[in-house]
Amino acid sequence: MARLSNALSFSALAVALLGAGPALADLRMCNNTGSRVSVALAYTDGQGWVSEGWWNLKSLDCVTLLRGALAAQYYYVYAMDERGGEWKGKAFMCTSDREFKILGRQDCFVRGFDRTGFFEVDTGKDAKNWTVQLTDQATPSTP
């Protein structure tokens, strides 16, 4: 009986190991705020700039923005919450009010898009995956 039990345990372990695939390498976004946020992402695809959005994240939720090993060191993100808060920067990309995937970052207005400032995410030279953490913006303390 012990022999059968050991054989079953070994079989279960072998199935578990065979089913385990390689670790995923992705660009992820986590919303660690108390509000729902909408997120847009911009990156270079090797031929030019691409901006796309919107991912909607509930409070304390995470989502994969790009699947697979990171192909670049720098990515750009813009996010806004339902209370009017923004996470923005000085890298301007094209966006739209509705779901979008836009090639290029020039002449946004002429092409019928909005022009939005994204913040830079430096993933490092050799990173294969990265998670961006959005947090509530600090409120200055009053003396």
Side-chain angles (χ1 to χ4, degrees):
M1 185 72 169
R3 202 172 194 187
L4 178 59
S5 177
N6 287 344
L8 289 175
S9 294
F10 178 74
S11 295
L13 178 63
V15 169
L17 290 176
L18 289 174
L24 294 178
D26 299 324
L27 179 64
R28 294 178 43 83
M29 169 73 65
C30 290
N31 174 13
N32 296 323
T33 74
S35 301
R36 179 180 200 84
V37 297
S38 295
V39 176
L41 173 70
Y43 55 92
T44 181
D45 66 0
Q47 298 179 10
W49 286 98
V50 177
S51 56
E52 58 182 299
W54 296 100
W55 288 268
N56 295 301
L57 285 80
K58 297 179 288 191
S59 176
L60 306 177
D61 195 13
C62 295
V63 68
T64 299
L65 302 179
L66 291 175
R67 295 202 181 278
L70 300 182
Q73 179 176 346
Y74 298 101
Y75 293 85
Y76 298 85
V77 174
Y78 171 80
M80 62 183 165
D81 69 18
E82 58 195 0
R83 298 179 191 164
E86 293 181 291
W87 292 260
K88 60 185 178 179
K90 297 179 181 178
F92 289 94
M93 308 288 174
C94 300
T95 59
S96 178
D97 288 342
R98 300 216 181 263
E99 185 177 329
F100 66 91
K101 184 170 187 176
I102 302 169
L103 302 179
R105 60 186 279 194
Q106 295 80 14
D107 304 319
C108 298
F109 296 126
V110 172
R111 297 191 294 150
F113 302 119
D114 297 318
R115 185 173 176 260
T116 305
F118 285 55
F119 69 88
E120 182 177 271
V121 175
D122 182 350
T123 63
K125 284 189 168 220
D126 299 320
K128 297 300 177 209
N129 59 53
W130 196 265
T131 300
V132 178
Q133 306 279 346
L134 284 182
T135 58
D136 283 316
Q137 298 174 2
T139 54
S141 57
T142 309

